[in-house]
Amino acid sequence: MGWLEGEVALITGGGSGIGRAVALRYLAEGASVAVLGRGAAQLEEVLAAAGDLSDRVLPLTGDVRSPDDLHRAVEATVERFGKLDILVPNAGIWDYHRSVTKLDGKELSEAFDEVFGINVKGYVLAVEAAWRELVATRGSIVMTLSNASFHTDGGGPLYTASKHACLGLLRQFAYELAPSVRVNGVAVGGMRTKLRGPQSLGLQDRTLEASFAKNEASGQQQQPLIPLYDSSVEPEDFTGPYVLLASRANSGTVTGAVIPADGGIAVRGFRSPAGGAGL
Ligand SMILES: NC(=O)c1ccc[n+]([C@@H]2O[C@H](COP(=O)([O-])OP(=O)(O)OC[C@H]3O[C@@H](n4cnc5c(N)ncnc54)[C@H](O)[C@@H]3O)[C@@H](O)[C@H]2O)c1
């Protein structure tokens, strides 16, 4: 028996990266999963990756900045699987560390609208579209947050502010939707995904995994001073907390909480840890 047997989830940005990994993990835990994304090909690939379980996958194209697309996604999910228990607001873009000192006002203005439109408005609209169904099932929301929801330098000012904003949303939604719907989050750290940048800055085709590969090829350390990171940077390594927080049996008393799955950024020191041997 999986931890999510019979549950129904909707994951935004579920066609790749951590969203895709959570979709496949939720399936393995017994859930049915609707994955919303912009690229039909990516979504079809999730269906293929699900193999024998693909009858429990519903691919849905849409843009998280569109209330209509999100309402359609919730309706289609309920039509296909009968209900909605778990919403995972997850779709996002990065700002590739663009500093305020490196962008002019026009660039900042356009990139702000794009980053906040997807990362923040996309979460608000997903919750607006889904809350009625979640109240009906006494379900839960598990948001993808970030190390950038708590710490500096996980991006530039736009990304950092957008992810801090998502933490505010999580807390406010947890308050507004209690006692019917639990609202929690997983603050994931750096991992190898296709996370892209804003089109307005010409960064829409750049991917984080390409940056990882470039750093590795040049011998640069990927995650300096992150206690647990030497190799654990694949999305699959981050899915456990999403299962725990969605599980009614195991997290029924938890709301407004965030599990940091970032390799221990909050316990960094001034020197490199060496497995207890070298300090
Ligand atoms: N990769 C990391 O290192 C990292 C670290 C911390 C947080 N995150 C967060 O994880 C989440 C998922 O990102 P990822 O790393 O898996 O990257 P990803 O690019 O693989 O996944 C993001 C998905 O969102 C989709 N998407 C983007 N804009 C959309 C839109 N307007 N409408 C619908 N779908 C849209 C993309 O097509 C993609 O499938 C993001 O919120 C990101 O900020 C990632």
Side-chain angles (χ1 to χ4, degrees), residues 42-193:
Q42 265 190 343
L43 299 171
E44 287 303 320
E45 198 278 319
V46 178
L47 204 60
D52 290 349
L53 306 180
S54 62
D55 59 325
R56 285 197 269 121
V57 181
L58 176 63
L60 298 165
T61 49
D63 190 311
V64 293
R65 291 167 290 189
S66 158
D68 288 348
D69 286 2
L70 285 160
H71 274 267
R72 261 197 298 275
V74 170
E75 277 162 30
T77 306
V78 174
E79 195 179 308
R80 170 76 179 271
F81 299 124
K83 59 175 182 159
L84 178 65
D85 300 288
I86 306 159
L87 172 71
V88 181
N90 166 76
I93 57 171
W94 198 37
D95 65 2
Y96 280 85
H97 272 133
R98 290 298 185 269
S99 162
V100 70
T101 62
K102 294 279 165 23
L103 296 172
D104 65 28
K106 184 168 181 295
E107 288 170 326
L108 273 168
S109 173
E110 288 175 3
F112 179 96
D113 289 347
E114 194 176 349
V115 171
F116 271 70
I118 296 173
N119 292 9
V120 184
K121 187 168 80 174
Y123 278 28
V124 176
L125 295 180
V127 172
E128 190 285 318
W131 71 264
R132 296 163 193 81
E133 296 297 337
L134 295 172
V135 166
T137 56
R138 294 189 75 86
S140 79
I141 297 170
V142 185
M143 288 184 181
T144 295
L145 296 188
S146 168
N147 51 294
S149 299
F150 297 93
H151 307 288
T152 57
D153 203 30
L158 299 182
Y159 185 76
T160 304
S162 77
K163 291 296 165 179
H164 272 63
C166 291
L167 176 61
L169 290 178
L170 181 151
R171 289 177 168 151
Q172 182 66 22
F173 289 143
Y175 165 71
E176 290 189 12
L177 298 177
S180 306
V181 181
R182 299 181 301 106
V183 184
N184 297 294
V186 184
V188 295
M191 60 189 147
R192 200 185 308 270
T193 69

